[in-house]
């Protein structure tokens, strides 16, 4: 449920009534970073209204610990745990010793439900609802007369099939990889769209702007590509055809590095584009507080609306690009020599 807590800076200084200088970089980084709480708003008296998420920790000496993140919010310590705000462990939940220092020998395993995790769960739930509804619709009406949700999703599915899967994988191989390509496309698209809606939770989480999420998606493409790679694919890596024998020792590491640069490009492209969009929007909003003038607000809001429209296009575009490149990489790996 929703709780209220006093901002840590006000607690330390003891001047809860004093107005602090607005720090745009801190404001932006806090909003695009993952968190153990879902910040809603900050009142004039310094109190923050937030949705505190569950913390799940396992420690060798303390065992399993489950509690609300409210107990360790704003610099508080609970049961020997706290969120470290400085140093190498900044942003992580750490275990502290009797002296109040980080106990590096007993770092807990963190299975907490954070903003990104909540966003992932809801995106998966939305995908299930959409596709189960689509399945029921097909069973009732058949494939010739789409109705309701079926009429909305069918053009997108056909687009992924015809322009992405068949174009890159061929008519004889695309069906095997269609479930993955459709899942990736809609999962990224839904998370992108949810990130554009600032309120209420679970909307507003920067899921596809989290490097761990994009890394996982890229690894799925990587492993699918390597597992389904044909003999021709592996032959091009270990012994590139048409290359002089003396050049093979040079070509092998080049081809091997190429195996990993492809998923790396997938990971960074999605992460950078989504994160950059959020940073620009938040920077435009920050101008109002930096200049401390309502005269800046109309111009700032107009640019924010323009950027949101652009971000809406980017949401679809990045889902398309990730799916297209995944299909392309898989297609290059599964094709036989005569192709």
């Amino acid at each position: 449920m929703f709780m209220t807590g006093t901002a840590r800076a006000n607690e330390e200084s003891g001047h809860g009534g004093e107005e602090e200088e607005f720090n745009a970089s801190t404001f932006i980084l806090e909003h695009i970073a993952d968190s153990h709480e879902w910040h809603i708003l900050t009142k004039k008296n310094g109190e923050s209204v937030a949705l505190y998420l569950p913390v799940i920790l396992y420690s060798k000496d303390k065992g399993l610990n489950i509690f609300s993140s409210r107990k360790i919010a704003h610099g508080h310590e609970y049961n020997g745990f706290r969120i470290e705000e400085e140093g190498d462990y900044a942003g992580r939940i750490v275990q502290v010793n009797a002296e109040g220092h980080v106990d590096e020998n007993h770092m807990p395993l963190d299975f907490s439900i954070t903003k990104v995790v909540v966003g992932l769960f809801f995106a998966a739930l939305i995908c299930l609802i959409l596709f189960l509804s689509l399945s029921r619709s097909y069973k009732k009406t058949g494939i010739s007369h789409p109705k309701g949700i079926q009429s909305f999703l069918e053009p997108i599915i056909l687009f992924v099939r015809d322009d992405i899967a068949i174009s890159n994988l061929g008519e004889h191989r695309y069906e095997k990889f269609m479930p993955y390509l459709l899942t990736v496309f809609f999962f990224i698209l839904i998370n992108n769209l949810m990130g554009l809606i600032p309120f209420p939770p679970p909307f507003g989480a920067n899921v596809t702007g989290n490097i761990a999420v994009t890394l996982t998606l890229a690894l799925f493409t990587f492993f699918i590509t390597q597992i389904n790679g044909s003999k021709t694919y592996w032959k091009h890596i270990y012994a590139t055809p048409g290359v002089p024998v003396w050049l093979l020792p040079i070509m092998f590491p080049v081809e091997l590095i190429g195996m990993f640069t492809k998923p790396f490009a997938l990971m960074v492209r999605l992460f950078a584009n989504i994160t950059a969009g959020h940073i620009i929007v938040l920077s435009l909003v920050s101008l109002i507080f930096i200049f401390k003038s309502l005269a800046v607000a109309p111009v700032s809001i107009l640019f924010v609306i323009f950027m949101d429209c652009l971000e809406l296009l980017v949401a679809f575009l990045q889902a398309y690009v990730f799916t297209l490149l995944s299909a392309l990489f898989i297609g290059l790996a599964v094709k036989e020599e005569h192709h």
Side-chain angles (χ1 to χ4, degrees), residues 135-148:
S135 176
R136 286 194 298 267
S137 179
Y138 272 122
K139 288 178 181 179
K140 290 180 180 180
T141 63
I143 61 174
S144 57
H145 303 288
K147 293 181 180 180

Side-chain angles (χ1 to χ4, degrees), residues 36-86:
H36 291 276
E37 65 182 65
W38 215 299
H39 182 78
I40 308 299
L41 57 90
T42 301
K43 298 179 181 180
K44 288 184 178 180
N45 60 2
E47 287 185 338
S48 62
V49 179
L51 173 63
Y52 292 96
L53 302 172
V55 174
I56 306 171
L57 303 172
Y58 179 78
S59 174
K60 291 181 179 179
D61 56 337
K62 295 179 180 291
L64 184 65
N65 292 264
I66 303 175
F67 52 90
S68 170
S69 61
R70 180 176 182 268
K71 296 182 181 295
I72 55 174
H74 314 300
H76 294 297
E77 182 182 320
Y78 175 76
N79 198 25
F81 299 104
R82 73 172 182 226
I83 299 177
E84 189 67 12
E85 298 185 356
E86 297 178 351

Side-chain angles (χ1 to χ4, degrees), residues 121-289:
F121 284 156
F122 271 88
L125 180 62
I126 292 172
C127 283
L128 283 173
I129 293 172
L130 287 176
F131 285 106
L132 289 176
S133 300
L134 181 63
S135 176
R136 286 194 298 267
S137 179
Y138 272 122
K139 288 178 181 179
K140 290 180 180 180
T141 63
I143 61 174
S144 57
H145 303 288
K147 293 181 180 180
I149 192 69
Q150 181 181 348
S151 62
F152 174 74
L153 292 177
E154 189 173 275
I156 303 176
I157 294 172
L158 292 177
F159 170 76
V160 174
R161 185 194 70 180
D162 298 338
D163 291 1
I164 297 179
I166 294 178
S167 298
N168 293 283
L169 295 164
E171 294 185 358
H172 302 292
R173 295 186 180 86
Y174 82 93
E175 290 185 354
K176 179 180 179 180
F177 303 100
M178 269 296 289
Y180 172 69
L181 296 177
L182 283 174
T183 302
V184 166
F185 180 86
F186 280 98
F187 184 75
I188 293 174
L189 177 61
I190 289 171
N191 276 303
N192 289 349
L193 295 177
M194 287 176 63
L196 294 177
I197 304 173
F199 185 83
F203 301 101
N206 186 28
V207 176
T208 43
N210 185 292
I211 195 71
V213 174
T214 59
L215 170 63
T216 304
L217 292 172
L219 284 176
F220 275 120
T221 297
F222 174 76
F223 286 121
I224 290 173
T225 302
Q226 309 314 318
I227 291 171
N228 292 277
S230 63
K231 292 181 180 179
T232 304
Y233 170 73
W234 291 108
K235 184 179 179 181
H236 273 270
I237 292 175
Y238 289 103
T240 308
V243 174
V245 177
W246 62 270
L247 196 57
L248 289 178
I250 299 175
M251 290 302 299
F252 171 67
V254 171
E255 293 289 342
L256 195 62
I257 292 172
M259 288 174 54
F260 298 97
T261 55
K262 291 174 183 177
F264 179 80
L266 283 177
M267 174 188 70
V268 173
R269 180 182 283 105
L270 180 59
F271 161 74
N273 279 280
I274 300 303
T275 302
H278 285 287
I279 290 175
I280 292 173
V281 170
L282 291 169
S283 298
L284 292 170
V285 173
S286 298
L287 291 176
I288 301 173
F289 303 98

